Amino acid sequence: MAQFSGKTVLVTGGTSGIGLATAQRFAAEGAHVVVTGRTQGRVDAAVAAIGDGATGVAADVTDSAALDRLAGVIGAHARGLDVIFANAGGGEFATLEDETPEHLSDTFNRNVGGTVFTVQKMLPLLNEGASIILAGSTAATRGVPAFGAYAASKAAIRSLSRTWAAELVGRRIRVNTVVPGPVETPGLKGLAPSGQEQDLLDGEAATVPMGRIGRPDEIASAVLFLASDQSSFMTGSEIYVDGGSGQV
């Protein structure tokens, strides 16, 4: 039997990259997967790519009303929610000299606020023994030039996972963080100027002891592990899936 048969899983930012690869893996393991994205067209394309067992909801995680609609869709299934992968977010380069209040606010609103209020809105739906997986980043501990706002927002995610693990243990809800290194996704490529995407990927690969960047499905494997009973004695933890870049 598929290990997530009968389970309901929410993947935010599930229309491409790590989110889409993870949603596909959950569906393949029998879960009913709810995926979000900011545009209906991308959500529809993701649902088609995932296949049977997927529901798409166009929802920006920074929009409280959109999160309410998302909770309504999940609640209508009357099966509760067993897994949240809070994956939506992103960032852009800005040095300290170039940082603006608007950029800092937007980065934290997406990565921290979006995660906080996604989980908060879904709390009433979470079944006992549910699993929450937050999306971290090796940038939080590496000191990447011009990536300070993004790195700080991901450091906040690590802190939140510990706090929530303590707060929710009475409901047997586990909270862990997956920490990817550089992974070939549209989000990573989008940081490069047009025509320089491969140069960015090659430069990132050069920082990884394994000599390459990761694949979205490799991060998905770690997320499924954290969502499953195989990690039943883990909460408040983080798993690095980074080719050794934060370890070696």
Side-chain angles (χ1 to χ4, degrees):
M1 180 181 295
Q3 64 176 327
F4 292 102
S5 180
K7 304 291 187 181
T8 301
V9 175
L10 169 63
V11 179
T12 65
T15 60
S16 67
I18 292 169
L20 178 57
T22 304
Q24 290 174 313
R25 288 284 301 279
F26 274 121
E29 289 288 344
H32 176 77
V33 184
V34 180
V35 293
T36 74
R38 286 186 286 183
T39 66
Q40 190 65 54
R42 295 187 66 182
V43 168
D44 292 343
V47 168
I50 297 165
D52 292 340
T55 297
V57 180
D60 186 331
V61 295
T62 66
D63 182 340
S64 180
L67 291 175
D68 285 335
R69 291 195 302 272
L70 174 61
V73 170
I74 296 171
H77 288 281
R79 293 187 297 186
L81 188 58
D82 300 291
V83 179
I84 299 173
F85 178 33
N87 172 68
E92 298 82 27
F93 289 124
T95 65
L96 175 59
E97 291 84 357
D98 294 333
E99 189 63 82
T100 66
E102 293 78 15
H103 175 259
L104 187 67
S105 177
D106 176 67
T107 302
F108 271 77
N109 196 30
R110 280 188 286 165
N111 295 341
V112 181
T115 298
V116 169
F117 295 113
T118 294
V119 175
Q120 182 192 73
K121 297 281 189 179
M122 302 306 138
L123 271 180
L125 299 172
L126 285 171
N127 295 320
E128 183 170 316
S131 179
I132 300 170
I133 301 99
L134 308 184
S137 171
T138 54
T141 56
R142 286 179 57 201
V144 179
F147 223 26
Y150 176 82
S153 72
K154 290 301 185 177
I157 292 298
R158 175 66 183 104
S159 179
L160 288 170
S161 72
R162 290 177 172 178
T163 302
W164 295 347
E167 290 181 353
L168 299 175
V169 69
R171 292 176 57 184
R172 295 180 48 246
I173 294 172
R174 299 183 299 109
V175 187
N176 293 291
T177 305
V178 64
V179 186
V183 178
E184 187 168 355
T185 64
L188 179 59
K189 293 178 181 178
L191 294 172
S194 179
Q196 298 181 35
E197 292 85 358
Q198 191 58 50
D199 291 339
L200 175 65
L201 297 181
D202 291 344
E204 288 292 326
T207 70
V208 178
M210 290 181 70
R212 66 175 179 86
I213 61 175
R215 302 187 309 271
D217 65 283
E218 292 176 309
I219 313 305
S221 292
V223 175
L224 265 69
F225 168 71
L226 290 173
S228 74
D229 290 340
Q230 296 176 60
S231 60
S232 59
F233 199 48
M234 293 178 65
T235 194
S237 297
E238 57 186 346
I239 291 183
Y240 280 77
V241 190
D242 63 354
S245 59
Q247 323 302 320
V248 179

